[in-house]
Amino acid sequence: MAAVTDGAGPTIDVLVVDDDPVVRFGLTMMLRGAPDLRVVAEAGDGAEAIELARRHAPHVVLMDIRMPGTDGLTATETLRRHPGAPQVVVLTTFDADEHVLRALRAGAAGFLLKDTPPDELVLAVRHAAQGRPVLSPQVTRRLIDHVAGSTRDSARETARRRLGLLADRERAVALELGAGRSNAEIAARHHISLATVKTHVSAILTKLDLNNRVQVALLVHDAGIEPPG
């Protein structure tokens, strides 16, 4: 879902979801300090978030994970199943959490710690609205390492089978995505045009039935393949 334009520039509509009203207030105040961001609604649980997302069609949802009733994981999975879904950035107090990993697999654009500084929060929302991941390669690695070893072997085998569906150049680009590199960086490293990289990324997402680059990075790490460089 692309940001709208109101004549003065692009405006990113944001839905803030957290069961703590104090946290919601703080996040809303930080976001309202940015001229290009607009908080269109606030929700106190996942069910309300789903309803408000359908009503207001935000570009980005800041989603708490642990909430009573319908939690943020369920809400994220529900929202991301629909065409034109908003980008979801999950909020957590932990930097290595299996619940965060599940949200990323469901199509969340990334995650933020609740104590993220205001300027970083605003930048993360802008990145999410552009379809860019809000997650560093180092954090991705910590999340993967947090998964129990008993499930890792099965995930590795499945991930390698899925990556086997890609052509050689597509697989090379997928590994670069696993390293968290941008399209421009990939183009420079492989001496190909930016348009060619975009074509490969689109093909990767289509062949693997994935929503975004974060999911590709997770698949690469699941496969146990060390990203290049």
Side-chain angles (χ1 to χ4, degrees):
M1 182 182 298
V4 297
T5 301
D6 59 9
T11 298
I12 301 169
D13 290 342
V14 184
L15 169 61
V16 176
V17 186
D18 197 290
D19 63 324
D20 186 336
V22 175
V23 173
R24 290 202 307 273
F25 177 81
L27 291 169
T28 298
M29 289 300 99
M30 285 190 285
L31 294 175
R32 284 180 176 165
D36 57 331
L37 305 186
R38 175 173 57 194
V39 177
V40 295
E42 298 178 21
D45 61 47
E48 186 179 13
I50 294 169
E51 175 58 31
L52 290 176
R54 289 170 177 165
R55 186 185 309 170
H56 295 281
H59 304 105
V60 177
V61 178
L62 291 181
M63 181 79 75
D64 187 20
I65 291 180
R66 295 175 176 84
M67 295 182 289
T70 303
D71 63 24
L73 294 173
T74 302
T76 297
E77 291 169 344
T78 300
L79 290 176
R80 292 298 300 172
R81 280 198 295 263
H82 300 287
Q87 298 292 339
V88 177
V89 178
V90 298
L91 300 170
T92 180
T93 54
F94 303 94
D95 65 352
D97 192 325
E98 290 180 29
H99 297 296
V100 175
L101 185 59
R102 176 180 156 192
L104 295 174
R105 293 191 191 286
F111 89 98
L112 293 173
L113 300 179
K114 289 189 178 181
D115 60 358
T116 298
D119 55 339
E120 293 182 20
L121 175 68
V122 169
L123 183 60
V125 170
R126 289 171 178 155
H127 283 179
Q130 297 167 3
R132 297 168 61 182
V134 185
L135 188 66
S136 72
Q138 293 79 12
V139 173
T140 301
R141 184 178 300 279
R142 287 204 302 271
L143 286 170
I144 295 299
D145 290 342
H146 189 66
V147 178
S150 60
T151 62
R152 188 177 296 158
D153 290 342
S154 176
R156 181 182 295 115
E157 182 179 349
T158 300
R160 289 183 176 182
R161 282 202 304 268
R162 294 185 69 188
L163 289 175
L165 299 173
L166 303 177
D168 289 345
R169 181 53 64 90
E170 292 167 352
R171 187 176 185 277
V173 171
L175 296 185
E176 298 287 0
L177 296 179
R181 294 193 174 94
S182 67
N183 287 353
E185 290 171 328
I186 296 171
R189 284 171 58 85
H190 291 266
H191 308 289
I192 55 179
S193 70
L194 193 59
T196 299
V197 175
K198 292 179 179 179
T199 298
H200 287 321
V201 172
S202 178
I204 290 166
L205 295 176
T206 298
K207 287 185 178 182
L208 299 181
D209 193 25
L210 297 175
N211 290 311
N212 56 42
R213 302 161 72 98
V214 172
Q215 290 179 313
V216 178
L218 288 171
L219 191 67
V220 170
H221 287 292
D222 276 349
I225 302 173
E226 187 70 20

